[in-house]
Amino acid sequence: MFNHFDEQGQAIMVDVSGKTCTLRTATAQARVLLKPATLAAILEGSVAKGDVLGVARLAGIAAAKKTPDLIPLSHPLAIHHAAIEFRHDPATGELRIEATVRAFERTGVEMEAMTAASVAALTVYDMCKGSDKSIAIAEVVLMFKEGGKSGTYRRGES
Amino acid sequence: MFNHFDEQGQAIMVDVSGKTCTLRTATAQARVLLKPATLAAILEGSVAKGDVLGVARLAGIAAAKKTPDLIPLSHPLAIHHAAIEFRHDPATGELRIEATVRAFERTGVEMEAMTAASVAALTVYDMCKGSDKSIAIAEVVLMFKEGGKSGTYRRGES
Amino acid sequence: MFNHFDEQGQAIMVDVSGKTCTLRTATAQARVLLKPATLAAILEGSVAKGDVLGVARLAGIAAAKKTPDLIPLSHPLAIHHAAIEFRHDPATGELRIEATVRAFERTGVEMEAMTAASVAALTVYDMCKGSDKSIAIAEVVLMFKEGGKSGTYRRGES
Amino acid sequence: MFNHFDEQGQAIMVDVSGKTCTLRTATAQARVLLKPATLAAILEGSVAKGDVLGVARLAGIAAAKKTPDLIPLSHPLAIHHAAIEFRHDPATGELRIEATVRAFERTGVEMEAMTAASVAALTVYDMCKGSDKSIAIAEVVLMFKEGGKSGTYRRGES
Amino acid sequence: MFNHFDEQGQAIMVDVSGKTCTLRTATAQARVLLKPATLAAILEGSVAKGDVLGVARLAGIAAAKKTPDLIPLSHPLAIHHAAIEFRHDPATGELRIEATVRAFERTGVEMEAMTAASVAALTVYDMCKGSDKSIAIAEVVLMFKEGGKSGTYRRGES
Amino acid sequence: MFNHFDEQGQAIMVDVSGKTCTLRTATAQARVLLKPATLAAILEGSVAKGDVLGVARLAGIAAAKKTPDLIPLSHPLAIHHAAIEFRHDPATGELRIEATVRAFERTGVEMEAMTAASVAALTVYDMCKGSDKSIAIAEVVLMFKEGGKSGTYRRGES
């Protein structure tokens, strides 16, 4: 069931040396729940008071590169693209962080996208926790994945 | 509003050199939503098929040490304790990851606890994504914080 | 003459365990020479086309934290403050990057400030090299140092 | 103008997944201005009092490998060659550090060469600052670049 | 004699850009000498008192990925497989750690295997030193290597 | 028996926040077995053909700083001193590497010394493996430890 373990139940970095390189893309999403006033301050802030989203975006992109160092059994990958998009709902205070990663590699880039979205969300938390410690990272999920043998995955489609 | 920026809105690592060291503790929680069958396999697996939770625990503790490298404006901290607890609900498939960090320092350890819980959750996702890509990290929140000038925080108490 | 070597000429990390912690500050400056048009685009860009200086500032602050990993015989230090200021001369195209680091430590933070200024300058180069590869980092120097036994240093005062 | 930002001015790691791997070479140069007496001591020292240039060389090569971790929007690259050459002028006290990096990759290695030269220069500063804090890194520039679509670049040729 | 130096005796990262990628495998072995009672406790412990070998295995796999950061003149490699096996002799207290690494690369993976075995052994030492500081890492050697121009190597065959 | 696990056998970073800082020293030794001709070449080489021991020394000192990143449950420590000494026996080809680390800290620096000695030995192996793959790291042991509650340890004294 868990392909990071061998038949004796021992953790391994799975052998992918025999796999062919293909173009892999993955998109993950993290949702952060803020007070509407905090979200409003973030959105204004990018101009005058400090660019919370700019800092979080760079943290997410840098984290995508650090994935092999964070996720113990993941393979070192040379990613070829990383981007972070923000969307928001001023009424509810929800901030959506979408991280997309691409690489021409032997294995998928889901963990790179999930890690980028998570660390961008953690960075938003870090910058806003002075005014509100109760901010929640409400969800981190894989939205889309393409390019491997298991085919295309799109969240919500079964 | 955002204390990681100066008056011109420029990102800074806030000066804490004048603050006194006190004993700081923080606990964060991440909830992972699995299919009940996947959760059951994880719980059995620790004995026979591979220790998913053992790997996630080490990833979380290691991540606590990497926090200054991941969160751009956080201070380098020498943490003095880190632990990860797991709780689960076999009926719903929910796995709760609780990360606690402690340090005698000039600034709080909330980000270390939040990062440890997040990376432990990401590692669970990594190990289980082969059988289920739809697993969600359902929430990452700060549960408890103690030891700084802003006093004790306990989630749910206002 | 070189205090990073012992009497046999062997490289060492000098023993500072017997020194007392004092408050240390250091400021370093890097100057980057751009075409006036490139500098103008950077200054406008922070609003509309991309925040070159914002990215460089974060790179510099992060680099200050990585100093012990970059400079072989430097001591690991827990820095308590890091900030990057930019000044510019639209006529000449010169961009001045000033990095200030502070820590309550047994040894000085000059290398942290020098490294922060250098990496911020390298990041400006990285972002502008697409339009002009001839950009020069014109100078990296220590401007100010305070807090150690050797007293206060101010560049230009002998 | 700045190709590290998308049309909305958002920082991205540019997508290079569609580019072909070619052999890339880059050479960067840093000049360090020392007192002639300090330079003389460095040159003698390599035999008897401590090998300043040997330490700086290793720091530069190691830094080339760390470039993706230092320069926020740079791509992770597997470099295939790195070397550092020193030249000096005993009369003026100038030390020239030339870093060359090569890789068979989708994107150039200029930043790896610039980073290697800068960190080698910072390491020279670190080792000599005990006797002279006024040492200046006088210039860091790209000297040569070959192998990408933009053709060969040689500093000084327009 | 030492191919990490050029003709002037200067340390370099050897140029491998002209070499072809081939499938490389290396296996290294570390032997740890414990008191039989300590070894017995480790073997029982994996179930009830703490999984020493599980922690050491993850440390070894993670260390294989960090090799380019630890060994100054080694090339950055994207390894495709890493695994750690343990064997033991209850009578003598000897624990044998065998690390295997594989990659499709221009250069061999001996250092990755040697580093993985060493760090796994150091981690066993770390976890047992509370009860016995005299534990020795008795040997770290390359057992097997395959895939490069120098052909297959098997320890003990001359 | 293993103090890196709690009562449920779960891996933790032990809480040392209540301990007092004291001056800690540790010395570890690694022995490398070379062919006498290889050792002779190393010893000459430091002048003319390349400084194997100089490279290994820097690798060991750098590794001491990376210990918290390599040993999963170790505490992040700010070490205050690190040095590597080499001794050799021309007749047998044995090279002895002695690493000493010191810090004013809440916990011991044994792992920093053991890691420094191991990585210096691995680096010697890396530089000599081109001429002799059968080189063995013959032993890595703790020689001396001082400064904690458990008192002074000296290898060979029971």
Side-chain angles (χ1 to χ4, degrees):
Chain A
M1 182 152 203
F2 306 121
N3 54 12
H4 287 298
F5 297 99
D6 65 15
E7 318 76 56
Q8 283 81 46
Q10 296 174 346
I12 52 165
M13 184 192 289
V14 176
D15 192 344
V16 297
S17 61
K19 299 177 81 173
T20 336
C21 287
T22 57
L23 186 60
R24 316 278 187 146
T25 307
T27 300
Q29 181 185 270
R31 292 190 297 115
V32 183
L33 295 188
L34 303 146
K35 289 179 190 158
T38 308
L39 178 59
I42 289 176
L43 299 175
E44 288 165 36
S46 66
V47 181
K49 287 185 233 158
D51 186 5
V52 170
L53 301 186
V55 176
R57 179 181 286 114
L58 285 178
I61 292 173
K65 294 193 261 187
K66 291 181 217 285
T67 304
D69 197 34
L70 291 170
I71 307 298
L73 300 169
S74 68
H75 295 85
L77 290 190
I79 62 173
H80 294 126
H81 172 58
I84 308 268
E85 294 282 330
F86 296 102
R87 290 202 182 80
H88 55 269
D89 181 339
T92 61
E94 184 176 294
L95 175 72
R96 283 205 302 281
I97 303 170
E98 207 175 85
T100 297
V101 174
R102 186 167 298 143
F104 189 78
E105 275 286 359
R106 282 167 176 79
T107 181
V109 291
E110 298 98 298
M111 290 319 299
E112 279 71 13
M114 292 285 284
T115 301
S118 294
V119 172
L122 287 167
T123 301
V124 170
Y125 183 87
D126 181 44
M127 309 197 87
C128 299
K129 71 182 193 302
S131 56
D132 182 6
K133 280 176 189 52
S134 68
I135 294 165
I137 300 178
E139 198 181 59
V140 187
V141 291
L142 184 69
M143 298 304 283
F144 175 74
K145 168 194 192 301
E146 189 182 53
K149 235 172 31 187
S150 68
T152 299
Y153 167 84
R154 217 176 290 271
R155 187 168 182 83
E157 298 177 358
S158 65
Chain B
M1 183 152 204
F2 306 120
N3 54 12
H4 287 297
F5 297 99
D6 65 14
E7 317 77 56
Q8 283 82 47
Q10 297 173 346
I12 52 165
M13 184 192 289
V14 176
D15 193 345
V16 298
S17 61
K19 298 177 82 173
T20 337
C21 287
T22 57
L23 186 60
R24 315 279 187 146
T25 307
T27 301
Q29 181 186 270
R31 291 189 298 116
V32 184
L33 295 188
L34 304 146
K35 289 179 190 159
T38 309
L39 178 59
I42 289 176
L43 299 175
E44 288 165 35
S46 66
V47 180
K49 287 186 233 158
D51 186 4
V52 170
L53 301 187
V55 176
R57 179 182 285 116
L58 284 179
I61 292 174
K65 294 194 260 187
K66 291 181 217 284
T67 304
D69 197 34
L70 292 170
I71 307 297
L73 301 170
S74 69
H75 295 84
L77 289 190
I79 62 173
H80 294 125
H81 172 59
I84 309 267
E85 295 281 332
F86 296 102
R87 290 203 182 78
H88 55 269
D89 181 338
T92 60
E94 183 176 295
L95 176 73
R96 284 205 302 280
I97 303 170
E98 207 175 85
T100 297
V101 174
R102 186 167 297 142
F104 189 77
E105 275 286 0
R106 282 168 175 80
T107 181
V109 290
E110 297 99 296
M111 290 318 300
E112 280 70 14
M114 292 285 284
T115 300
S118 294
V119 172
L122 287 167
T123 301
V124 170
Y125 182 87
D126 181 44
M127 310 198 87
C128 299
K129 72 184 192 301
S131 55
D132 182 6
K133 280 177 189 52
S134 69
I135 293 165
I137 300 177
E139 198 181 60
V140 187
V141 292
L142 185 69
M143 297 304 284
F144 175 74
K145 168 194 193 301
E146 189 182 53
K149 236 174 29 191
S150 69
T152 300
Y153 167 84
R154 216 176 291 270
R155 187 168 182 85
E157 297 179 358
S158 63
Chain C
M1 183 152 202
F2 307 121
N3 54 13
H4 288 297
F5 297 98
D6 65 15
E7 316 78 56
Q8 282 81 45
Q10 297 174 347
I12 53 164
M13 185 192 289
V14 176
D15 193 344
V16 297
S17 61
K19 298 178 81 172
T20 338
C21 288
T22 57
L23 186 60
R24 316 278 187 145
T25 306
T27 300
Q29 182 186 269
R31 290 189 298 115
V32 184
L33 294 189
L34 303 146
K35 289 179 190 158
T38 308
L39 178 59
I42 289 176
L43 298 176
E44 288 164 36
S46 67
V47 180
K49 289 186 230 155
D51 186 6
V52 170
L53 301 186
V55 176
R57 180 181 285 116
L58 284 178
I61 292 174
K65 295 193 260 187
K66 290 182 218 284
T67 304
D69 198 33
L70 291 169
I71 308 298
L73 301 170
S74 69
H75 295 85
L77 289 189
I79 62 173
H80 294 126
H81 172 59
I84 309 267
E85 294 282 331
F86 296 102
R87 290 203 182 76
H88 54 270
D89 180 339
T92 61
E94 183 176 295
L95 175 71
R96 283 205 301 282
I97 303 171
E98 206 175 86
T100 297
V101 174
R102 187 166 297 143
F104 188 78
E105 275 284 0
R106 281 168 176 79
T107 181
V109 291
E110 297 98 298
M111 291 318 300
E112 280 71 12
M114 292 285 284
T115 301
S118 294
V119 172
L122 287 167
T123 301
V124 170
Y125 183 86
D126 181 44
M127 310 197 87
C128 300
K129 72 181 192 301
S131 55
D132 182 6
K133 280 178 189 48
S134 69
I135 294 165
I137 301 177
E139 198 182 60
V140 187
V141 291
L142 185 69
M143 298 303 284
F144 175 74
K145 169 194 191 302
E146 189 183 52
K149 238 170 27 187
S150 67
T152 299
Y153 168 83
R154 216 177 294 268
R155 188 170 181 82
E157 298 178 359
S158 64
Chain D
M1 182 153 205
F2 306 121
N3 55 13
H4 287 297
F5 297 99
D6 65 14
E7 317 78 55
Q8 282 82 46
Q10 296 174 347
I12 52 166
M13 185 192 289
V14 175
D15 193 345
V16 297
S17 60
K19 299 177 82 173
T20 336
C21 287
T22 57
L23 186 60
R24 317 278 186 145
T25 307
T27 300
Q29 181 185 267
R31 291 189 297 116
V32 184
L33 295 188
L34 303 145
K35 289 179 191 159
T38 308
L39 178 59
I42 289 177
L43 299 175
E44 287 164 38
S46 67
V47 180
K49 288 188 231 155
D51 186 3
V52 170
L53 301 186
V55 176
R57 180 182 285 116
L58 285 178
I61 292 174
K65 295 193 259 186
K66 291 181 218 283
T67 304
D69 197 34
L70 290 171
I71 308 298
L73 301 170
S74 69
H75 295 86
L77 290 189
I79 62 173
H80 294 126
H81 172 58
I84 309 266
E85 294 282 332
F86 296 101
R87 290 201 184 79
H88 54 269
D89 181 339
T92 61
E94 183 176 296
L95 176 73
R96 284 206 300 284
I97 303 170
E98 207 175 85
T100 298
V101 175
R102 186 167 298 141
F104 188 77
E105 274 285 359
R106 283 168 175 81
T107 180
V109 292
E110 298 98 296
M111 292 317 301
E112 280 71 13
M114 292 284 285
T115 301
S118 295
V119 172
L122 287 167
T123 301
V124 171
Y125 183 87
D126 181 43
M127 309 197 87
C128 300
K129 71 182 194 298
S131 55
D132 182 6
K133 279 176 189 53
S134 69
I135 293 164
I137 300 177
E139 199 181 59
V140 187
V141 292
L142 185 69
M143 297 304 284
F144 175 73
K145 168 193 192 302
E146 190 183 52
K149 237 171 29 188
S150 67
T152 299
Y153 167 85
R154 218 176 291 270
R155 187 168 182 85
E157 299 177 357
S158 64
Chain E
M1 182 151 204
F2 305 121
N3 54 13
H4 288 296
F5 297 99
D6 65 15
E7 317 77 56
Q8 283 82 45
Q10 296 174 347
I12 52 164
M13 184 193 288
V14 177
D15 192 345
V16 297
S17 61
K19 299 177 81 173
T20 338
C21 288
T22 56
L23 187 59
R24 316 277 187 145
T25 307
T27 300
Q29 181 185 270
R31 290 190 298 115
V32 183
L33 295 188
L34 303 146
K35 290 179 190 157
T38 308
L39 178 59
I42 289 177
L43 298 175
E44 288 164 36
S46 66
V47 181
K49 290 187 228 154
D51 187 4
V52 170
L53 301 186
V55 176
R57 179 182 285 115
L58 285 178
I61 292 174
K65 296 194 259 187
K66 291 182 218 284
T67 304
D69 198 33
L70 291 170
I71 308 298
L73 301 170
S74 69
H75 295 86
L77 290 189
I79 61 173
H80 294 127
H81 172 58
I84 308 266
E85 294 282 332
F86 296 101
R87 289 201 183 78
H88 55 269
D89 180 340
T92 61
E94 184 176 296
L95 176 72
R96 284 206 301 281
I97 303 172
E98 206 176 86
T100 297
V101 174
R102 186 167 297 141
F104 188 77
E105 274 287 358
R106 282 167 176 81
T107 181
V109 292
E110 297 98 299
M111 292 318 299
E112 280 71 12
M114 291 285 283
T115 302
S118 294
V119 172
L122 287 167
T123 301
V124 170
Y125 183 87
D126 181 44
M127 310 197 86
C128 300
K129 71 181 193 300
S131 55
D132 182 6
K133 279 177 190 50
S134 69
I135 294 165
I137 300 177
E139 198 182 60
V140 187
V141 291
L142 185 69
M143 298 303 284
F144 175 74
K145 169 192 191 304
E146 190 183 53
K149 238 172 25 189
S150 68
T152 299
Y153 168 84
R154 216 177 293 269
R155 188 170 181 83
E157 299 177 357
S158 64
Chain F
M1 183 152 204
F2 306 121
N3 54 13
H4 288 297
F5 297 99
D6 64 15
E7 316 79 55
Q8 283 81 47
Q10 296 174 346
I12 53 165
M13 184 192 289
V14 176
D15 193 345
V16 297
S17 60
K19 299 176 83 173
T20 336
C21 287
T22 57
L23 187 60
R24 315 279 186 144
T25 307
T27 300
Q29 181 186 269
R31 291 190 297 116
V32 184
L33 294 188
L34 304 145
K35 290 179 189 157
T38 309
L39 178 60
I42 289 177
L43 298 175
E44 289 164 35
S46 66
V47 180
K49 289 187 230 154
D51 187 4
V52 170
L53 301 186
V55 176
R57 180 181 285 116
L58 285 178
I61 292 175
K65 295 194 258 186
K66 290 181 218 283
T67 304
D69 198 33
L70 291 170
I71 307 298
L73 301 170
S74 69
H75 295 86
L77 289 190
I79 62 173
H80 294 126
H81 172 58
I84 309 266
E85 294 282 331
F86 296 101
R87 290 202 182 79
H88 55 269
D89 180 339
T92 60
E94 183 176 295
L95 176 73
R96 284 206 300 283
I97 303 170
E98 206 176 86
T100 298
V101 175
R102 186 167 297 141
F104 189 77
E105 275 285 358
R106 282 167 176 81
T107 181
V109 292
E110 297 99 297
M111 291 318 299
E112 280 71 14
M114 292 285 284
T115 301
S118 295
V119 172
L122 288 167
T123 300
V124 171
Y125 183 87
D126 181 44
M127 309 197 87
C128 299
K129 71 183 194 299
S131 55
D132 182 5
K133 279 175 190 53
S134 69
I135 294 164
I137 300 177
E139 198 181 60
V140 187
V141 291
L142 185 69
M143 297 303 283
F144 175 74
K145 169 194 191 302
E146 189 183 55
K149 237 172 28 189
S150 67
T152 299
Y153 168 85
R154 217 176 292 269
R155 186 167 183 84
E157 299 179 358
S158 65

